[in-house]
Amino acid sequence: MGCLKPWARYGLLVVAHLLTLGLGAVLFQALEGPPACRLQAELRAELAAFQAEHRACLPPGALEELLGTALATQAHGVSSLGNSSEARNWDLPSALLFTASILTTTGYGHTAPLSPGGKVFCTVYAALGLPASLALVATLRHCLLPVLSRPGAWVAVHWQLSPARAALLQAVALGLLVASSFVLLPALVLWGLQGDCSLLGTVYFCFSSLSTIGLGDLLPGHGCVLHPVIYHLGQLALLGGGTPLLGTVWEG
């Protein structure tokens, strides 16, 4: 691409990006379409069976109206299901987790402001907090990068590596350190604590949180299985940068 004109390079990059989007969409449709159809068919069968069993007690459309209300409230992170003694959706640890998801741009989507004042404050808070978070990340990078680069520099001098190979070795080492410390290790801890989640699910959740994708299918939810103290400590641990650590549990 070095001999191409700038507009041609940009055009090729745009076409490659569009092709990547299209390929990803086709693959996701092929992978996720059949399971979604099966779940929809199972849900319809369950609804039909429930309505057939309780038809005499339910007016027409009452169940659909109730489910619609429940789904609408759950979209804002409010649910009437489960034990009423569980922590409220806006207790202090949950509110801290919400602010952390804003400042790290993870945005799990399981909690959202309901009041007009909350929406206004969320907008102002994000507008001021995101630049501050970026400044903090830049400062940490400036302080930590020299420290993390020392082992790679020592290896490069000891093994007499070329600058290109030393840079590649340092990049690989840092990648392995991040992957093991912030993805694999938390995933193993969560997998051991949370018996109803697979190892793949915990790795998937840790990666989606670390990369700030935050799809929202696996969420830091209410501590129904872990001890409440461990659960709240886990929520507070997320304030260290959105990294999923000990005590985070899911609502699927």
Side-chain angles (χ1 to χ4, degrees), residues 72-88:
T73 56
Q74 190 167 353
H76 292 281
V78 179
S79 177
S80 61
L81 302 178
N83 192 345
S84 58
S85 63
E86 288 181 351
R88 292 176 298 175

Side-chain angles (χ1 to χ4, degrees), residues 2-192:
C3 59
L4 296 176
K5 294 182 178 181
W7 64 267
R9 291 201 297 268
Y10 297 148
L12 287 177
L13 288 175
V14 170
V15 171
H17 182 68
L18 294 176
L19 289 176
T20 303
L21 290 176
L23 178 61
V26 170
L27 290 177
F28 275 119
Q29 183 183 26
L31 291 171
E32 299 300 325
C37 291
R38 286 196 298 269
L39 285 177
Q40 189 177 39
E42 292 175 4
L43 177 60
R44 288 177 177 174
E46 291 287 343
L47 288 175
F50 184 86
Q51 288 176 333
E53 183 178 356
H54 303 280
R55 188 178 301 275
C57 305
L58 289 173
L63 179 60
E64 289 80 358
E65 183 179 356
L66 175 61
L67 290 177
T69 303
L71 291 175
T73 56
Q74 190 167 353
H76 292 281
V78 179
S79 177
S80 61
L81 302 178
N83 192 345
S84 58
S85 63
E86 288 181 351
R88 292 176 298 175
N89 194 60
W90 286 104
D91 59 1
L92 182 59
S94 299
L96 287 172
L97 176 62
F98 176 71
T99 57
S101 68
I102 293 176
L103 297 183
T104 58
T105 69
T106 305
Y108 291 109
H110 66 304
T111 303
L114 298 175
S115 64
K119 294 177 182 178
V120 171
F121 177 74
C122 181
T123 303
V124 176
Y125 184 81
L128 298 178
L130 287 175
S133 298
L134 293 176
L136 175 62
V137 170
T139 303
L140 291 176
R141 176 184 176 276
H142 179 74
C143 296
L144 293 179
L145 192 58
V147 177
L148 297 176
S149 301
R150 290 175 185 173
W154 181 85
V155 170
V157 173
H158 185 71
W159 289 354
Q160 297 182 351
L161 298 177
S162 63
R165 290 189 175 182
L168 178 61
L169 178 63
Q170 181 178 350
V172 172
L174 287 177
L176 292 176
L177 177 63
V178 170
S180 59
S181 300
F182 299 110
V183 177
L184 295 180
L185 181 59
L188 289 173
V189 174
L190 297 174
W191 181 49

Side-chain angles (χ1 to χ4, degrees), residues 228-248:
V229 174
I230 300 178
Y231 161 65
H232 290 309
L233 287 176
Q235 282 191 314
L236 294 176
L238 286 171
L239 297 177
T243 306
L245 297 177
L246 177 64
T248 304

